[in-house]
């Protein structure tokens, strides 16, 4: 049963055009500015990052290389990027242990953590999370949602969550 959750997130992050879709009525605003006409990279620069359904990682890259791609849109010094990487590892200690592992050979939970960590490397104000629990063990889901809760309360990162599993 389709409820339009993914479509809504894709509309916000301007990824609908890639599927020949469009927002036909109204507009989408973020912090008082209309954003539905921006391209996705401009949106990231404004602090809005989407973590897609299905844990999209660059399978052939290591976990750390995947994380570093999240800082690509920023003009940050190496020291800042290293500091942000350590921040991600503080939230996801398992990723630090597995940082040299090729992403394609890591667990679903580790891939989801990598995808969220990569989003954090962009220093977002808001993360759009699409079905983060899909296919993951309940214990891993709980761990990920605790981290999301911490990011929100400790760092003020907002999350817009599309989730089938209401529990």
């Amino acid at each position: 049963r389709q409820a339009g959750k993914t479509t809504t997130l894709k509309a916000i992050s301007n990824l609908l055009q890639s599927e020949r879709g469009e927002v036909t009525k109204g507009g989408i605003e973020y912090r008082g500015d209309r954003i539905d006409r921006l391209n996705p990279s401009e949106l990231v620069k404004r602090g809005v990052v989407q973590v897609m359904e299905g844990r999209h990682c660059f399978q052939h890259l290591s976990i750390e290389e995947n994380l570093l791609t999240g800082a690509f849109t920023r003009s940050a010094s190496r020291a800042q990027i290293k500091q942000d990487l350590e921040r991600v590892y503080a939230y996801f200690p398992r990723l630090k242990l597995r940082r040299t592992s090729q992403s394609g050979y890591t667990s679903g939970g580790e891939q989801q953590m990598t995808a969220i960590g990569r989003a954090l490397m962009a220093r977002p104000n808001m993360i759009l999370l699409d079905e983060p629990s899909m296919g993951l063990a309940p214990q891993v889901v709980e761990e990920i949602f605790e981290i999301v809760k911490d990011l929100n309360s400790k760092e003020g990162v907002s999350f817009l969550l599309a989730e089938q599993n209401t529990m």
Side-chain angles (χ1 to χ4, degrees), residues 62-68 81-101 113-114 117-118 120-121 143 147 151:
S62 71
I63 284 176
E64 189 159 294
E65 289 167 335
N66 264 282
L67 294 173
L68 290 171
I81 290 172
K82 186 172 174 28
Q83 187 178 3
D84 288 342
L85 198 54
E86 288 308 317
R87 173 176 157 252
V88 170
Y89 289 147
Y91 279 104
F92 300 103
R94 193 182 320 176
L95 294 185
K96 187 167 190 168
L97 294 172
R98 306 274 334 257
R99 68 183 176 269
T100 60
S101 300
M113 291 174 190
T114 300
R118 184 177 59 223
L120 287 173
M121 290 295 291
E143 184 181 345
I147 292 164
L151 284 163

PDB file of all heavy atoms in Angstrom, residues 62-68 81-101 113-114 117-118 120-121 143 147 151:
ATOM      1  N   SER A  62      35.438   2.279   0.802  1.00  0.00           N
ATOM      2  CA  SER A  62      35.456   1.925   2.226  1.00  0.00           C
ATOM      3  C   SER A  62      34.417   2.767   2.957  1.00  0.00           C
ATOM      4  O   SER A  62      33.911   3.769   2.423  1.00  0.00           O
ATOM      5  CB  SER A  62      36.844   2.194   2.818  1.00  0.00           C
ATOM      6  OG  SER A  62      37.073   3.592   2.908  1.00  0.00           O
ATOM      7  N   ILE A  63      34.125   2.379   4.182  1.00  0.00           N
ATOM      8  CA  ILE A  63      33.193   3.156   5.000  1.00  0.00           C
ATOM      9  C   ILE A  63      33.695   4.593   5.125  1.00  0.00           C
ATOM     10  O   ILE A  63      32.939   5.541   4.941  1.00  0.00           O
ATOM     11  CB  ILE A  63      33.000   2.488   6.385  1.00  0.00           C
ATOM     12  CG1 ILE A  63      32.093   1.269   6.240  1.00  0.00           C
ATOM     13  CG2 ILE A  63      32.439   3.485   7.405  1.00  0.00           C
ATOM     14  CD1 ILE A  63      31.886   0.464   7.506  1.00  0.00           C
ATOM     15  N   GLU A  64      34.977   4.743   5.434  1.00  0.00           N
ATOM     16  CA  GLU A  64      35.504   6.103   5.612  1.00  0.00           C
ATOM     17  C   GLU A  64      35.433   6.907   4.322  1.00  0.00           C
ATOM     18  O   GLU A  64      35.079   8.089   4.339  1.00  0.00           O
ATOM     19  CB  GLU A  64      36.936   6.064   6.140  1.00  0.00           C
ATOM     20  CG  GLU A  64      37.423   7.446   6.531  1.00  0.00           C
ATOM     21  CD  GLU A  64      38.585   7.414   7.500  1.00  0.00           C
ATOM     22  OE1 GLU A  64      38.393   6.962   8.648  1.00  0.00           O
ATOM     23  OE2 GLU A  64      39.680   7.855   7.105  1.00  0.00           O
ATOM     24  N   GLU A  65      35.736   6.300   3.193  1.00  0.00           N
ATOM     25  CA  GLU A  65      35.629   7.008   1.911  1.00  0.00           C
ATOM     26  C   GLU A  65      34.179   7.430   1.662  1.00  0.00           C
ATOM     27  O   GLU A  65      33.924   8.536   1.177  1.00  0.00           O
ATOM     28  CB  GLU A  65      36.144   6.129   0.774  1.00  0.00           C
ATOM     29  CG  GLU A  65      37.648   5.940   0.799  1.00  0.00           C
ATOM     30  CD  GLU A  65      38.134   4.823  -0.114  1.00  0.00           C
ATOM     31  OE1 GLU A  65      37.347   3.884  -0.423  1.00  0.00           O
ATOM     32  OE2 GLU A  65      39.313   4.865  -0.498  1.00  0.00           O
ATOM     33  N   ASN A  66      33.227   6.566   1.978  1.00  0.00           N
ATOM     34  CA  ASN A  66      31.808   6.908   1.855  1.00  0.00           C
ATOM     35  C   ASN A  66      31.478   8.123   2.709  1.00  0.00           C
ATOM     36  O   ASN A  66      30.799   9.046   2.262  1.00  0.00           O
ATOM     37  CB  ASN A  66      30.930   5.729   2.283  1.00  0.00           C
ATOM     38  CG  ASN A  66      30.465   4.891   1.126  1.00  0.00           C
ATOM     39  OD1 ASN A  66      29.550   5.258   0.414  1.00  0.00           O
ATOM     40  ND2 ASN A  66      31.115   3.759   0.927  1.00  0.00           N
ATOM     41  N   LEU A  67      31.944   8.124   3.955  1.00  0.00           N
ATOM     42  CA  LEU A  67      31.673   9.244   4.851  1.00  0.00           C
ATOM     43  C   LEU A  67      32.243  10.535   4.283  1.00  0.00           C
ATOM     44  O   LEU A  67      31.588  11.576   4.294  1.00  0.00           O
ATOM     45  CB  LEU A  67      32.245   8.973   6.245  1.00  0.00           C
ATOM     46  CG  LEU A  67      31.590   7.824   7.016  1.00  0.00           C
ATOM     47  CD1 LEU A  67      32.363   7.552   8.298  1.00  0.00           C
ATOM     48  CD2 LEU A  67      30.134   8.094   7.304  1.00  0.00           C
ATOM     49  N   LEU A  68      33.457  10.471   3.767  1.00  0.00           N
ATOM     50  CA  LEU A  68      34.119  11.665   3.245  1.00  0.00           C
ATOM     51  C   LEU A  68      33.371  12.263   2.052  1.00  0.00           C
ATOM     52  O   LEU A  68      33.418  13.476   1.848  1.00  0.00           O
ATOM     53  CB  LEU A  68      35.571  11.362   2.883  1.00  0.00           C
ATOM     54  CG  LEU A  68      36.485  11.105   4.080  1.00  0.00           C
ATOM     55  CD1 LEU A  68      37.843  10.594   3.617  1.00  0.00           C
ATOM     56  CD2 LEU A  68      36.635  12.356   4.942  1.00  0.00           C
ATOM     57  N   ILE A  81      37.199  18.729   8.371  1.00  0.00           N
ATOM     58  CA  ILE A  81      36.654  17.459   7.884  1.00  0.00           C
ATOM     59  C   ILE A  81      37.073  16.319   8.804  1.00  0.00           C
ATOM     60  O   ILE A  81      36.267  15.455   9.148  1.00  0.00           O
ATOM     61  CB  ILE A  81      37.054  17.208   6.415  1.00  0.00           C
ATOM     62  CG1 ILE A  81      36.296  18.208   5.525  1.00  0.00           C
ATOM     63  CG2 ILE A  81      36.773  15.776   5.994  1.00  0.00           C
ATOM     64  CD1 ILE A  81      36.702  18.222   4.081  1.00  0.00           C
ATOM     65  N   LYS A  82      38.312  16.340   9.253  1.00  0.00           N
ATOM     66  CA  LYS A  82      38.800  15.316  10.188  1.00  0.00           C
ATOM     67  C   LYS A  82      38.003  15.382  11.499  1.00  0.00           C
ATOM     68  O   LYS A  82      37.603  14.357  12.049  1.00  0.00           O
ATOM     69  CB  LYS A  82      40.286  15.515  10.455  1.00  0.00           C
ATOM     70  CG  LYS A  82      40.914  14.418  11.290  1.00  0.00           C
ATOM     71  CD  LYS A  82      42.418  14.592  11.347  1.00  0.00           C
ATOM     72  CE  LYS A  82      43.154  13.658  12.250  1.00  0.00           C
ATOM     73  NZ  LYS A  82      42.613  12.374  12.519  1.00  0.00           N
ATOM     74  N   GLN A  83      37.729  16.595  11.958  1.00  0.00           N
ATOM     75  CA  GLN A  83      36.943  16.787  13.179  1.00  0.00           C
ATOM     76  C   GLN A  83      35.519  16.245  12.987  1.00  0.00           C
ATOM     77  O   GLN A  83      34.971  15.579  13.878  1.00  0.00           O
ATOM     78  CB  GLN A  83      36.920  18.281  13.515  1.00  0.00           C
ATOM     79  CG  GLN A  83      36.288  18.620  14.824  1.00  0.00           C
ATOM     80  CD  GLN A  83      36.351  20.129  15.106  1.00  0.00           C
ATOM     81  OE1 GLN A  83      36.819  20.928  14.288  1.00  0.00           O
ATOM     82  NE2 GLN A  83      35.865  20.520  16.258  1.00  0.00           N
ATOM     83  N   ASP A  84      34.922  16.518  11.836  1.00  0.00           N
ATOM     84  CA  ASP A  84      33.576  16.019  11.547  1.00  0.00           C
ATOM     85  C   ASP A  84      33.560  14.495  11.454  1.00  0.00           C
ATOM     86  O   ASP A  84      32.608  13.848  11.898  1.00  0.00           O
ATOM     87  CB  ASP A  84      33.037  16.628  10.248  1.00  0.00           C
ATOM     88  CG  ASP A  84      32.687  18.097  10.407  1.00  0.00           C
ATOM     89  OD1 ASP A  84      32.532  18.559  11.556  1.00  0.00           O
ATOM     90  OD2 ASP A  84      32.572  18.781   9.373  1.00  0.00           O
ATOM     91  N   LEU A  85      34.619  13.930  10.892  1.00  0.00           N
ATOM     92  CA  LEU A  85      34.727  12.476  10.799  1.00  0.00           C
ATOM     93  C   LEU A  85      34.775  11.869  12.204  1.00  0.00           C
ATOM     94  O   LEU A  85      34.067  10.891  12.481  1.00  0.00           O
ATOM     95  CB  LEU A  85      35.996  12.125  10.011  1.00  0.00           C
ATOM     96  CG  LEU A  85      36.128  10.739   9.419  1.00  0.00           C
ATOM     97  CD1 LEU A  85      34.935  10.379   8.543  1.00  0.00           C
ATOM     98  CD2 LEU A  85      37.419  10.648   8.618  1.00  0.00           C
ATOM     99  N   GLU A  86      35.532  12.480  13.085  1.00  0.00           N
ATOM    100  CA  GLU A  86      35.611  11.990  14.470  1.00  0.00           C
ATOM    101  C   GLU A  86      34.257  12.130  15.173  1.00  0.00           C
ATOM    102  O   GLU A  86      33.889  11.293  15.986  1.00  0.00           O
ATOM    103  CB  GLU A  86      36.715  12.712  15.248  1.00  0.00           C
ATOM    104  CG  GLU A  86      38.121  12.301  14.823  1.00  0.00           C
ATOM    105  CD  GLU A  86      38.373  10.788  14.830  1.00  0.00           C
ATOM    106  OE1 GLU A  86      37.948  10.099  15.783  1.00  0.00           O
ATOM    107  OE2 GLU A  86      38.986  10.285  13.868  1.00  0.00           O
ATOM    108  N   ARG A  87      33.522  13.189  14.838  1.00  0.00           N
ATOM    109  CA  ARG A  87      32.173  13.387  15.389  1.00  0.00           C
ATOM    110  C   ARG A  87      31.256  12.251  14.951  1.00  0.00           C
ATOM    111  O   ARG A  87      30.502  11.695  15.758  1.00  0.00           O
ATOM    112  CB  ARG A  87      31.649  14.749  14.914  1.00  0.00           C
ATOM    113  CG  ARG A  87      30.213  15.053  15.257  1.00  0.00           C
ATOM    114  CD  ARG A  87      29.895  16.487  14.788  1.00  0.00           C
ATOM    115  NE  ARG A  87      28.488  16.665  14.577  1.00  0.00           N
ATOM    116  CZ  ARG A  87      27.906  16.790  13.385  1.00  0.00           C
ATOM    117  NH1 ARG A  87      28.608  16.761  12.288  1.00  0.00           N
ATOM    118  NH2 ARG A  87      26.607  16.964  13.292  1.00  0.00           N
ATOM    119  N   VAL A  88      31.318  11.882  13.685  1.00  0.00           N
ATOM    120  CA  VAL A  88      30.512  10.767  13.176  1.00  0.00           C
ATOM    121  C   VAL A  88      30.918   9.477  13.880  1.00  0.00           C
ATOM    122  O   VAL A  88      30.059   8.695  14.311  1.00  0.00           O
ATOM    123  CB  VAL A  88      30.644  10.626  11.636  1.00  0.00           C
ATOM    124  CG1 VAL A  88      30.013   9.326  11.145  1.00  0.00           C
ATOM    125  CG2 VAL A  88      30.001  11.821  10.937  1.00  0.00           C
ATOM    126  N   TYR A  89      32.219   9.261  14.042  1.00  0.00           N
ATOM    127  CA  TYR A  89      32.697   8.052  14.717  1.00  0.00           C
ATOM    128  C   TYR A  89      32.292   8.023  16.194  1.00  0.00           C
ATOM    129  O   TYR A  89      32.093   6.951  16.753  1.00  0.00           O
ATOM    130  CB  TYR A  89      34.210   7.904  14.580  1.00  0.00           C
ATOM    131  CG  TYR A  89      34.673   7.533  13.188  1.00  0.00           C
ATOM    132  CD1 TYR A  89      35.885   7.999  12.690  1.00  0.00           C
ATOM    133  CD2 TYR A  89      33.911   6.696  12.370  1.00  0.00           C
ATOM    134  CE1 TYR A  89      36.326   7.647  11.427  1.00  0.00           C
ATOM    135  CE2 TYR A  89      34.339   6.350  11.102  1.00  0.00           C
ATOM    136  CZ  TYR A  89      35.551   6.824  10.638  1.00  0.00           C
ATOM    137  OH  TYR A  89      35.985   6.471   9.390  1.00  0.00           O
ATOM    138  N   ALA A  90      32.163   9.187  16.803  1.00  0.00           N
ATOM    139  CA  ALA A  90      31.700   9.232  18.200  1.00  0.00           C
ATOM    140  C   ALA A  90      30.249   8.744  18.292  1.00  0.00           C
ATOM    141  O   ALA A  90      29.881   8.045  19.233  1.00  0.00           O
ATOM    142  CB  ALA A  90      31.834  10.645  18.765  1.00  0.00           C
ATOM    143  N   TYR A  91      29.433   9.106  17.302  1.00  0.00           N
ATOM    144  CA  TYR A  91      28.040   8.640  17.277  1.00  0.00           C
ATOM    145  C   TYR A  91      27.931   7.182  16.827  1.00  0.00           C
ATOM    146  O   TYR A  91      27.049   6.452  17.265  1.00  0.00           O
ATOM    147  CB  TYR A  91      27.184   9.519  16.359  1.00  0.00           C
ATOM    148  CG  TYR A  91      26.743  10.803  17.021  1.00  0.00           C
ATOM    149  CD1 TYR A  91      27.352  12.012  16.717  1.00  0.00           C
ATOM    150  CD2 TYR A  91      25.729  10.796  17.978  1.00  0.00           C
ATOM    151  CE1 TYR A  91      26.952  13.181  17.344  1.00  0.00           C
ATOM    152  CE2 TYR A  91      25.326  11.956  18.604  1.00  0.00           C
ATOM    153  CZ  TYR A  91      25.942  13.147  18.283  1.00  0.00           C
ATOM    154  OH  TYR A  91      25.544  14.304  18.909  1.00  0.00           O
ATOM    155  N   PHE A  92      28.811   6.787  15.918  1.00  0.00           N
ATOM    156  CA  PHE A  92      28.774   5.438  15.345  1.00  0.00           C
ATOM    157  C   PHE A  92      30.125   4.750  15.551  1.00  0.00           C
ATOM    158  O   PHE A  92      30.893   4.591  14.595  1.00  0.00           O
ATOM    159  CB  PHE A  92      28.454   5.496  13.845  1.00  0.00           C
ATOM    160  CG  PHE A  92      27.140   6.135  13.503  1.00  0.00           C
ATOM    161  CD1 PHE A  92      27.085   7.430  12.999  1.00  0.00           C
ATOM    162  CD2 PHE A  92      25.955   5.436  13.662  1.00  0.00           C
ATOM    163  CE1 PHE A  92      25.875   8.017  12.667  1.00  0.00           C
ATOM    164  CE2 PHE A  92      24.727   6.016  13.324  1.00  0.00           C
ATOM    165  CZ  PHE A  92      24.693   7.308  12.830  1.00  0.00           C
ATOM    166  N   PRO A  93      30.435   4.332  16.787  1.00  0.00           N
ATOM    167  CA  PRO A  93      31.742   3.724  17.054  1.00  0.00           C
ATOM    168  C   PRO A  93      32.020   2.476  16.205  1.00  0.00           C
ATOM    169  O   PRO A  93      33.163   2.200  15.863  1.00  0.00           O
ATOM    170  CB  PRO A  93      31.695   3.363  18.542  1.00  0.00           C
ATOM    171  CG  PRO A  93      30.415   3.872  19.076  1.00  0.00           C
ATOM    172  CD  PRO A  93      29.599   4.437  17.979  1.00  0.00           C
ATOM    173  N   ARG A  94      30.969   1.768  15.823  1.00  0.00           N
ATOM    174  CA  ARG A  94      31.143   0.572  14.996  1.00  0.00           C
ATOM    175  C   ARG A  94      31.752   0.937  13.637  1.00  0.00           C
ATOM    176  O   ARG A  94      32.530   0.179  13.067  1.00  0.00           O
ATOM    177  CB  ARG A  94      29.798  -0.120  14.808  1.00  0.00           C
ATOM    178  CG  ARG A  94      29.942  -1.511  14.235  1.00  0.00           C
ATOM    179  CD  ARG A  94      28.642  -2.213  13.990  1.00  0.00           C
ATOM    180  NE  ARG A  94      27.621  -2.021  15.014  1.00  0.00           N
ATOM    181  CZ  ARG A  94      26.408  -2.506  14.923  1.00  0.00           C
ATOM    182  NH1 ARG A  94      26.038  -3.190  13.868  1.00  0.00           N
ATOM    183  NH2 ARG A  94      25.530  -2.306  15.872  1.00  0.00           N
ATOM    184  N   LEU A  95      31.387   2.128  13.129  1.00  0.00           N
ATOM    185  CA  LEU A  95      31.944   2.552  11.839  1.00  0.00           C
ATOM    186  C   LEU A  95      33.442   2.821  11.944  1.00  0.00           C
ATOM    187  O   LEU A  95      34.188   2.573  11.003  1.00  0.00           O
ATOM    188  CB  LEU A  95      31.224   3.804  11.319  1.00  0.00           C
ATOM    189  CG  LEU A  95      29.752   3.652  10.949  1.00  0.00           C
ATOM    190  CD1 LEU A  95      29.223   4.937  10.353  1.00  0.00           C
ATOM    191  CD2 LEU A  95      29.532   2.476  10.015  1.00  0.00           C
ATOM    192  N   LYS A  96      33.879   3.339  13.089  1.00  0.00           N
ATOM    193  CA  LYS A  96      35.311   3.595  13.263  1.00  0.00           C
ATOM    194  C   LYS A  96      36.082   2.279  13.222  1.00  0.00           C
ATOM    195  O   LYS A  96      37.137   2.182  12.598  1.00  0.00           O
ATOM    196  CB  LYS A  96      35.578   4.339  14.570  1.00  0.00           C
ATOM    197  CG  LYS A  96      37.026   4.770  14.694  1.00  0.00           C
ATOM    198  CD  LYS A  96      37.240   5.750  15.802  1.00  0.00           C
ATOM    199  CE  LYS A  96      38.656   6.306  15.704  1.00  0.00           C
ATOM    200  NZ  LYS A  96      38.840   7.457  16.582  1.00  0.00           N
ATOM    201  N   LEU A  97      35.528   1.248  13.866  1.00  0.00           N
ATOM    202  CA  LEU A  97      36.175  -0.061  13.865  1.00  0.00           C
ATOM    203  C   LEU A  97      36.249  -0.651  12.455  1.00  0.00           C
ATOM    204  O   LEU A  97      37.206  -1.337  12.113  1.00  0.00           O
ATOM    205  CB  LEU A  97      35.414  -1.040  14.770  1.00  0.00           C
ATOM    206  CG  LEU A  97      35.413  -0.739  16.266  1.00  0.00           C
ATOM    207  CD1 LEU A  97      34.468  -1.679  16.995  1.00  0.00           C
ATOM    208  CD2 LEU A  97      36.826  -0.834  16.827  1.00  0.00           C
ATOM    209  N   ARG A  98      35.223  -0.370  11.650  1.00  0.00           N
ATOM    210  CA  ARG A  98      35.125  -0.964  10.308  1.00  0.00           C
ATOM    211  C   ARG A  98      35.489   0.012   9.194  1.00  0.00           C
ATOM    212  O   ARG A  98      35.214  -0.241   8.031  1.00  0.00           O
ATOM    213  CB  ARG A  98      33.680  -1.458  10.072  1.00  0.00           C
ATOM    214  CG  ARG A  98      33.090  -2.388  11.088  1.00  0.00           C
ATOM    215  CD  ARG A  98      33.364  -3.865  10.934  1.00  0.00           C
ATOM    216  NE  ARG A  98      33.653  -4.373   9.612  1.00  0.00           N
ATOM    217  CZ  ARG A  98      32.799  -5.042   8.851  1.00  0.00           C
ATOM    218  NH1 ARG A  98      31.580  -5.279   9.267  1.00  0.00           N
ATOM    219  NH2 ARG A  98      33.166  -5.501   7.675  1.00  0.00           N
ATOM    220  N   ARG A  99      36.120   1.147   9.551  1.00  0.00           N
ATOM    221  CA  ARG A  99      36.314   2.241   8.586  1.00  0.00           C
ATOM    222  C   ARG A  99      37.049   1.857   7.296  1.00  0.00           C
ATOM    223  O   ARG A  99      36.841   2.476   6.269  1.00  0.00           O
ATOM    224  CB  ARG A  99      36.979   3.438   9.242  1.00  0.00           C
ATOM    225  CG  ARG A  99      38.404   3.240   9.674  1.00  0.00           C
ATOM    226  CD  ARG A  99      38.920   4.510  10.380  1.00  0.00           C
ATOM    227  NE  ARG A  99      40.247   4.332  10.887  1.00  0.00           N
ATOM    228  CZ  ARG A  99      40.535   3.889  12.111  1.00  0.00           C
ATOM    229  NH1 ARG A  99      39.552   3.583  12.942  1.00  0.00           N
ATOM    230  NH2 ARG A  99      41.779   3.753  12.493  1.00  0.00           N
ATOM    231  N   THR A 100      37.895   0.828   7.337  1.00  0.00           N
ATOM    232  CA  THR A 100      38.619   0.432   6.123  1.00  0.00           C
ATOM    233  C   THR A 100      37.883  -0.652   5.334  1.00  0.00           C
ATOM    234  O   THR A 100      38.312  -1.012   4.246  1.00  0.00           O
ATOM    235  CB  THR A 100      40.040  -0.068   6.470  1.00  0.00           C
ATOM    236  OG1 THR A 100      39.916  -1.189   7.349  1.00  0.00           O
ATOM    237  CG2 THR A 100      40.870   1.035   7.138  1.00  0.00           C
ATOM    238  N   SER A 101      36.773  -1.152   5.878  1.00  0.00           N
ATOM    239  CA  SER A 101      36.010  -2.208   5.188  1.00  0.00           C
ATOM    240  C   SER A 101      35.276  -1.641   3.983  1.00  0.00           C
ATOM    241  O   SER A 101      34.739  -0.532   4.037  1.00  0.00           O
ATOM    242  CB  SER A 101      34.975  -2.826   6.134  1.00  0.00           C
ATOM    243  OG  SER A 101      35.599  -3.402   7.245  1.00  0.00           O
ATOM    244  N   MET A 113      24.074   3.136   8.992  1.00  0.00           N
ATOM    245  CA  MET A 113      24.874   4.064   9.797  1.00  0.00           C
ATOM    246  C   MET A 113      25.809   4.880   8.906  1.00  0.00           C
ATOM    247  O   MET A 113      25.994   6.080   9.125  1.00  0.00           O
ATOM    248  CB  MET A 113      25.684   3.300  10.850  1.00  0.00           C
ATOM    249  CG  MET A 113      24.826   2.694  11.932  1.00  0.00           C
ATOM    250  SD  MET A 113      25.847   1.665  13.020  1.00  0.00           S
ATOM    251  CE  MET A 113      24.573   0.857  13.983  1.00  0.00           C
ATOM    252  N   THR A 114      26.381   4.235   7.892  1.00  0.00           N
ATOM    253  CA  THR A 114      27.259   4.937   6.945  1.00  0.00           C
ATOM    254  C   THR A 114      26.476   6.011   6.195  1.00  0.00           C
ATOM    255  O   THR A 114      26.952   7.137   6.033  1.00  0.00           O
ATOM    256  CB  THR A 114      27.905   3.933   5.957  1.00  0.00           C
ATOM    257  OG1 THR A 114      28.672   2.985   6.702  1.00  0.00           O
ATOM    258  CG2 THR A 114      28.799   4.637   4.953  1.00  0.00           C
ATOM    259  N   GLY A 117      25.789   8.788   8.600  1.00  0.00           N
ATOM    260  CA  GLY A 117      27.066   9.456   8.867  1.00  0.00           C
ATOM    261  C   GLY A 117      27.502  10.323   7.704  1.00  0.00           C
ATOM    262  O   GLY A 117      27.993  11.446   7.890  1.00  0.00           O
ATOM    263  N   ARG A 118      27.313   9.830   6.480  1.00  0.00           N
ATOM    264  CA  ARG A 118      27.653  10.615   5.287  1.00  0.00           C
ATOM    265  C   ARG A 118      26.811  11.894   5.238  1.00  0.00           C
ATOM    266  O   ARG A 118      27.315  12.969   4.936  1.00  0.00           O
ATOM    267  CB  ARG A 118      27.440   9.770   4.029  1.00  0.00           C
ATOM    268  CG  ARG A 118      27.869  10.487   2.759  1.00  0.00           C
ATOM    269  CD  ARG A 118      27.735   9.620   1.531  1.00  0.00           C
ATOM    270  NE  ARG A 118      26.359   9.185   1.347  1.00  0.00           N
ATOM    271  CZ  ARG A 118      26.017   7.953   1.008  1.00  0.00           C
ATOM    272  NH1 ARG A 118      26.910   7.020   0.817  1.00  0.00           N
ATOM    273  NH2 ARG A 118      24.747   7.645   0.846  1.00  0.00           N
ATOM    274  N   LEU A 120      25.628  13.463   7.821  1.00  0.00           N
ATOM    275  CA  LEU A 120      26.148  14.339   8.877  1.00  0.00           C
ATOM    276  C   LEU A 120      27.397  15.092   8.438  1.00  0.00           C
ATOM    277  O   LEU A 120      27.650  16.204   8.896  1.00  0.00           O
ATOM    278  CB  LEU A 120      26.471  13.535  10.137  1.00  0.00           C
ATOM    279  CG  LEU A 120      25.288  13.055  10.942  1.00  0.00           C
ATOM    280  CD1 LEU A 120      25.753  12.137  12.057  1.00  0.00           C
ATOM    281  CD2 LEU A 120      24.517  14.240  11.504  1.00  0.00           C
ATOM    282  N   MET A 121      28.181  14.482   7.561  1.00  0.00           N
ATOM    283  CA  MET A 121      29.406  15.128   7.087  1.00  0.00           C
ATOM    284  C   MET A 121      29.117  16.407   6.301  1.00  0.00           C
ATOM    285  O   MET A 121      29.981  17.249   6.151  1.00  0.00           O
ATOM    286  CB  MET A 121      30.225  14.151   6.230  1.00  0.00           C
ATOM    287  CG  MET A 121      30.845  13.011   7.011  1.00  0.00           C
ATOM    288  SD  MET A 121      32.088  13.537   8.209  1.00  0.00           S
ATOM    289  CE  MET A 121      33.405  14.072   7.128  1.00  0.00           C
ATOM    290  N   GLU A 143      19.173   1.149  18.129  1.00  0.00           N
ATOM    291  CA  GLU A 143      20.459   1.854  18.226  1.00  0.00           C
ATOM    292  C   GLU A 143      20.476   3.081  17.313  1.00  0.00           C
ATOM    293  O   GLU A 143      20.870   4.174  17.726  1.00  0.00           O
ATOM    294  CB  GLU A 143      21.580   0.875  17.832  1.00  0.00           C
ATOM    295  CG  GLU A 143      22.977   1.420  17.970  1.00  0.00           C
ATOM    296  CD  GLU A 143      24.040   0.401  17.526  1.00  0.00           C
ATOM    297  OE1 GLU A 143      23.737  -0.798  17.373  1.00  0.00           O
ATOM    298  OE2 GLU A 143      25.183   0.839  17.336  1.00  0.00           O
ATOM    299  N   ILE A 147      20.549   7.248  18.341  1.00  0.00           N
ATOM    300  CA  ILE A 147      21.524   8.198  17.796  1.00  0.00           C
ATOM    301  C   ILE A 147      20.800   9.379  17.159  1.00  0.00           C
ATOM    302  O   ILE A 147      21.187  10.537  17.356  1.00  0.00           O
ATOM    303  CB  ILE A 147      22.467   7.483  16.801  1.00  0.00           C
ATOM    304  CG1 ILE A 147      23.351   6.488  17.571  1.00  0.00           C
ATOM    305  CG2 ILE A 147      23.320   8.485  16.030  1.00  0.00           C
ATOM    306  CD1 ILE A 147      24.044   5.453  16.710  1.00  0.00           C
ATOM    307  N   LEU A 151      21.254  13.238  18.220  1.00  0.00           N
ATOM    308  CA  LEU A 151      21.614  14.284  17.255  1.00  0.00           C
ATOM    309  C   LEU A 151      20.620  15.436  17.317  1.00  0.00           C
ATOM    310  O   LEU A 151      20.998  16.597  17.222  1.00  0.00           O
ATOM    311  CB  LEU A 151      21.675  13.711  15.838  1.00  0.00           C
ATOM    312  CG  LEU A 151      22.902  12.874  15.527  1.00  0.00           C
ATOM    313  CD1 LEU A 151      22.669  12.031  14.275  1.00  0.00           C
ATOM    314  CD2 LEU A 151      24.127  13.768  15.347  1.00  0.00           C
TER     315      LEU A 151
END
